Amino acid sequence: MTENTDYKLANIQKRELKLRGLRHEILISESEKALDMILEAPSPATLVQSFPDQDLYYLMHKIGPYDFIPILAMARSEQWEYILDVETWDNDRLDLDYMTKTFDILFQADPQRLLRWVIKEKPDYFEFYLFKNMEIFVREHDELPPEDFDDYITIDDKFYFRFPEKPEDMDEDLPEQRNNPEAWELIEKMVKAVAQMDLSVYHGLLLETASTLPAETEEEHFRLKNMRLAEKGFLPAHEALGIYQPTKLSSLRKRPEKDRFTSEPFDPDIPLPPQFFSQFIEGDDLFVKSLKLLDPEFILHLESELAALINKIISADKIKLRSKEDLEKAISKACDYLNLGLEVILKGEKKPELAIGVIREYFLEDIFRSGSRAGLKLKTKAFNWFRQSFMNKNDLPLSFLGETYLGVIGGLFLDRPLYYDNYAAGKLYRDFKSISDIIVTSKALEQIIALDKVLGLIDADINSFEQGVLTFKTLILTLWAKDRLKLAPDLEPIDTIIFKKFFIALFSKSDSKQSPGIQLQDLALWISEVTDVNETDFDNAFSQVLSDLIKELEEEYSLVNPENIDPRFIPHFLLKRTDKK
């Protein structure tokens, strides 16, 4: 008996793995090919119903909802319910427009089955949708039809319903007017289909719809939706936020010893994990290289972990799953933070054979949180600095830091800190994905802090600024120029004619062998004079700020003819033009 049971179990496992391989091939294929592979399969309904809910949902958006209708006709009711759960909610409110779109697709897939299922399993959900779009009138046998009966639709001359076009046509207790002809057309088809199927059910549906309590219904279905999604790893946002909780290396949870190197065959009674994310795990970073070296059985367990991790990210970031791009966004973040976490744990080592050991030893969620910790440490440091900063004390906007430093600080001040990439890879911001990202951002933050400290020592009169664009560059350079020109040490713009003298001296050469821009070193001398800090005592971070500023001035202005100075094209200084009389 045991041998017979083992034989059956082995056959089930073999069949499931074969289906899993076919599903994976479908998921990574182009949309048209994927659709053909499903429809041409020996048992398409069995194949469709074997898809995990998330994989089927991803396929729906990859292929296109309306092209996917033949597939939805074969889907399980549980798969339909998952689509309703992720498509029709906007945080804690039902979105009527998306309810219309989703009901329309499912109605086209199998109208009678949809109506039987939704009336039997989710009647108040369906009645909520009807209540929000229509007005119902029940005529007693001794009553005349409504005065404006031309606006009503009736099947049996007893139950009337209409879709009011003006707010004043609706009672005060009814919901706000929604001018949605698509919804009205769909509802009319659905209601008439119910009447054709069973007139008594039609009567009961309209009676219950007229007495619906929308707020209570919406609240209850929100609770039920959260329970269903929580089973798939979609925790409420306030709980899912724990995925970003920083974790010290000493606090990482270790996998049980038996799970590190050996994996039990999967239980056929437990659904296999979704695979929609596998096609997006690509590249040559440490995490991807490591996955390629792990054995298939261990990968199967990791897929469950990775799917749960992605679902927590979706919940924590409140990502609305309305397209495959929404899913790709969460997948990308998971992979980036996992790669960063591996590098952090390995202290910069990028050897896949070492990373494999880390993946086998620790749960993916803890590796992710190690990566999250690296970015949050920078964010905390930035916030702590800003509270006591010269900028904050003088109510200066972040734009005062200039484009690059503004980008860095702006990324760190977000709820989920991001790396300022400045479109190097096509985006202004992206997730931190390596220690090099952390190092680059950390150096920039150190420079900002050092710069702010020096600005506090300069003690400029910010209130004297009234004209132009004030940044740290215009502040420092204008005060420097005014000092050398023996002008008042304020931020009033410098007359262009007077500034020309400074500009000529700025790039003057004492002999032919001397390179242009040598006089710019006077900037460091001036800062030393006004701050009482010797040039040799400037910390490395501020020295780099100063070096970059000097280099920028040389590149921008060393070849400019002093006679062609125009305040509009000299943004590094606060200047004004004085017309000659």
Side-chain angles (χ1 to χ4, degrees), residues 238-490:
H238 66 279
E239 294 182 27
L241 280 173
I243 193 63
Y244 292 107
Q245 183 67 33
T247 301
K248 296 180 180 179
L249 300 186
S250 59
S251 303
L252 296 180
R253 298 168 299 165
K254 292 187 177 182
R255 297 179 185 275
E257 191 70 31
K258 65 181 181 66
D259 293 341
R260 297 186 192 179
F261 303 102
T262 59
S263 298
E264 293 291 330
F266 69 87
D267 185 342
D269 293 329
I270 300 176
L272 287 170
Q275 304 175 78
F276 64 89
F277 49 78
S278 58
Q279 60 188 302
F280 301 107
I281 302 177
E282 55 187 13
D284 59 353
D285 59 35
L286 184 60
F287 177 62
V288 175
K289 288 180 179 178
S290 303
L291 289 183
K292 293 177 181 178
L293 300 178
L294 290 165
D295 59 84
E297 285 190 357
F298 192 75
I299 287 289
L300 188 61
H301 284 262
L302 281 186
E303 285 180 347
S304 297
E305 283 188 46
L306 191 53
L309 176 61
I310 292 169
N311 291 345
K312 286 185 179 180
I313 293 171
I314 291 170
S315 297
D317 291 358
K318 297 182 178 179
I319 298 174
K320 292 182 175 63
L321 295 179
R322 300 275 170 75
S323 68
K324 67 184 184 72
E325 287 77 19
D326 297 328
L327 286 169
E328 291 169 14
K329 180 180 177 182
I331 296 166
S332 175
K333 171 172 280 192
C335 293
D336 289 344
Y337 273 63
L338 286 170
N339 187 75
L340 175 57
L342 286 174
E343 292 191 15
V344 169
I345 293 171
L346 292 173
K347 299 180 179 178
E349 288 281 355
K350 295 187 178 182
K351 298 179 180 179
E353 56 271 21
L354 296 178
I356 289 175
V358 174
I359 294 173
R360 286 191 176 278
E361 187 169 3
Y362 302 113
F363 293 103
L364 291 184
E365 182 174 317
D366 282 7
I367 297 174
F368 178 94
R369 290 167 66 189
S370 296
S372 172
R373 180 173 183 263
L376 287 174
K377 283 176 66 178
L378 288 178
K379 173 177 178 168
T380 301
K381 184 176 181 178
F383 266 111
N384 290 339
W385 154 74
F386 187 73
R387 282 198 295 266
Q388 306 297 327
S389 67
F390 166 83
M391 286 179 55
N392 192 31
K393 290 176 182 177
N394 287 275
D395 295 322
L396 292 170
L398 292 180
S399 57
F400 174 79
L401 291 170
E403 182 179 352
T404 301
Y405 290 149
L406 168 62
V408 172
I409 285 294
L412 292 178
F413 280 0
L414 295 172
D415 290 339
R416 311 279 180 268
L418 295 175
Y419 174 72
Y420 177 62
D421 201 36
N422 199 19
Y423 298 105
K427 295 181 179 179
L428 183 61
Y429 289 103
R430 60 171 173 79
D431 295 310
F432 289 98
K433 66 179 299 183
S434 67
I435 283 185
S436 61
D437 292 344
I438 297 294
I439 292 173
V440 168
T441 304
S442 180
K443 286 182 177 178
L445 179 57
E446 290 290 348
Q447 291 170 13
I448 292 169
I449 294 173
L451 169 64
D452 185 83
K453 181 179 178 181
V454 170
L455 291 174
L457 294 174
I458 292 176
D459 195 26
D461 181 12
I462 301 298
N463 294 327
S464 63
F465 170 75
E466 294 182 355
Q467 181 180 343
V469 178
L470 185 64
T471 66
F472 80 90
K473 296 176 184 178
T474 56
L475 185 149
I476 290 175
L477 296 177
T478 300
L479 291 177
W480 171 42
K482 284 200 162 190
D483 182 83
R484 295 321 190 215
L485 290 169
K486 309 298 183 185
L487 299 175
D490 55 33

Side-chain angles (χ1 to χ4, degrees), residues 477 480 484 502-503 505-508 514-527 535 546-558 573:
L477 296 177
W480 171 42
R484 295 321 190 215
F502 174 80
F503 192 85
L506 192 61
F507 296 104
S508 64
Q514 199 172 32
S515 61
I518 193 68
Q519 299 300 322
L520 287 171
Q521 299 302 326
D522 181 63
L523 175 58
L525 177 61
W526 172 76
I527 291 176
E535 291 181 53
L546 202 54
S547 175
D548 291 344
L549 183 55
I550 289 172
K551 183 179 179 181
E552 188 176 329
L553 289 175
E554 289 177 340
E555 292 175 349
E556 291 285 338
Y557 306 120
S558 62
F573 296 85

Side-chain angles (χ1 to χ4, degrees), residues 69-92:
I69 286 174
I71 309 301
L72 290 175
M74 296 181 278
R76 292 178 284 108
S77 298
E78 293 79 7
Q79 292 170 321
W80 282 7
E81 188 165 52
Y82 176 79
I83 292 172
L84 285 171
D85 285 342
V86 296
E87 282 279 299
T88 62
W89 287 90
D90 184 4
N91 293 325
D92 60 346

Side-chain angles (χ1 to χ4, degrees), residues 12-26:
I12 293 173
Q13 291 173 345
K14 185 177 179 180
R15 183 175 68 249
E16 287 298 320
L17 288 174
K18 184 178 179 180
L19 272 175
R20 178 177 180 272
L22 179 56
R23 291 197 301 265
H24 181 266
E25 188 177 351
I26 291 170

